[in-house]
Amino acid sequence: MKYLIVGLGNIGSEYADTRHNAGFLVADTLAARSGAPFTSDRYGSVAVVRHRGQELIVLKPSTYMNLSGKAVRYWMQHERIPLERVFVVVDDIALPFGHLRLRKNGSDGGHNGLKSIAECVGSSDYGRLRFGIGGDFARGQQVDYVLGHWTSEERAALPELTDRCADAILSWVTEGPDRAMNRFNTKK
């Protein structure tokens, strides 16, 4: 069975170490653990991960965050992957740093990447992992915060967190959403 795993972020060196690229970091970790290289392709970089009989098409869109839906729609059609086997990893300012929230579906929560995907595929009924980046910013400073670089403390915690996210994704595709949510959703 094929799944489309999408890590949201922005391309370009100026965004490489920013909170808004948490999805890219998780995609990198998932691919690296399997030794699957990313190759440049239409609308993004793609790696193919095989795990317990499942084929995961791991996508890092090159369309920038606000147009992520274009890449997701293309790869769903290209690989003939139905919406119920699409899983998106996204940063979330509403969750404390390092908290994870897996969901089977949901609103975009004001996130432009999720909004673009829902607009392009006509639904928000796809799995997602929200990676908490915290919301420690002054009023009106949201853009600077999400496009800002990780602190040294956050950066030190990232390898363990992205590994946990990769485990959550593999659990989602092999054990199912309910079990994965029970195992990996962080309690407040």
Side-chain angles (χ1 to χ4, degrees), residues 80-95:
R80 296 186 175 112
I81 298 173
L83 190 59
E84 61 268 14
R85 291 202 306 267
V86 172
F87 189 88
V88 178
V89 183
V90 63
D91 61 287
D92 191 332
I93 60 171
L95 293 174

Side-chain angles (χ1 to χ4, degrees), residues 38-96:
F38 277 95
T39 57
S40 242
D41 210 317
R42 188 161 181 194
Y43 296 125
S45 295
V46 178
V48 178
V49 171
R50 287 179 173 68
H51 180 75
R52 294 188 184 174
Q54 311 299 337
E55 184 175 335
L56 285 63
I57 309 301
V58 183
L59 170 66
K60 297 190 306 183
S62 60
T63 53
Y64 290 98
M65 186 70 76
N66 295 354
L67 299 173
S68 298
K70 190 174 186 179
V72 172
R73 181 180 57 212
Y74 171 80
W75 283 97
M76 283 176 66
Q77 293 170 348
H78 181 70
E79 294 291 334
R80 296 186 175 112
I81 298 173
L83 190 59
E84 61 268 14
R85 291 202 306 267
V86 172
F87 189 88
V88 178
V89 183
V90 63
D91 61 287
D92 191 332
I93 60 171
L95 293 174

Side-chain angles (χ1 to χ4, degrees), residues 1-187:
M1 196 174 301
K2 258 187 211 181
Y3 287 83
L4 178 61
I5 309 299
V6 184
L8 295 187
N10 285 314
I11 59 169
S13 59
E14 67 271 29
Y15 299 110
D17 189 38
T18 64
R19 294 178 183 93
H20 217 26
N21 273 21
F24 277 11
L25 290 176
V26 173
D28 288 339
T29 299
L30 181 61
R33 284 173 47 171
S34 301
F38 277 95
T39 57
S40 242
D41 210 317
R42 188 161 181 194
Y43 296 125
S45 295
V46 178
V48 178
V49 171
R50 287 179 173 68
H51 180 75
R52 294 188 184 174
Q54 311 299 337
E55 184 175 335
L56 285 63
I57 309 301
V58 183
L59 170 66
K60 297 190 306 183
S62 60
T63 53
Y64 290 98
M65 186 70 76
N66 295 354
L67 299 173
S68 298
K70 190 174 186 179
V72 172
R73 181 180 57 212
Y74 171 80
W75 283 97
M76 283 176 66
Q77 293 170 348
H78 181 70
E79 294 291 334
R80 296 186 175 112
I81 298 173
L83 190 59
E84 61 268 14
R85 291 202 306 267
V86 172
F87 189 88
V88 178
V89 183
V90 63
D91 61 287
D92 191 332
I93 60 171
L95 293 174
F97 174 74
H99 283 228
L100 308 180
R101 184 77 64 230
L102 285 87
R103 292 284 183 255
K104 294 179 192 177
N105 55 34
S107 74
D108 60 52
H111 194 286
N112 289 331
L114 295 179
K115 186 181 298 183
S116 173
I117 293 169
E119 287 171 357
C120 287
V121 303
S123 175
S124 58
D125 290 336
Y126 53 85
R128 75 237 8 232
L129 186 159
R130 292 180 178 266
F131 183 106
I133 61 169
D136 189 20
F137 54 87
R139 185 178 174 95
Q141 298 300 309
Q142 178 176 335
V143 171
D144 292 336
Y145 180 78
V146 299
L147 294 178
H149 295 283
W150 301 103
T151 66
S152 56
E153 295 82 17
E154 290 169 338
R155 195 175 296 109
L158 286 173
E160 182 180 333
L161 291 171
T162 57
D163 268 340
R164 184 162 171 77
C165 291
D167 290 341
I169 294 166
L170 296 177
S171 173
W172 185 278
V173 302
T174 58
E175 300 173 324
D178 292 328
R179 193 153 192 193
M181 289 188 296
N182 285 335
R183 287 182 58 200
F184 292 95
N185 278 348
T186 307
K187 306 283 188 265

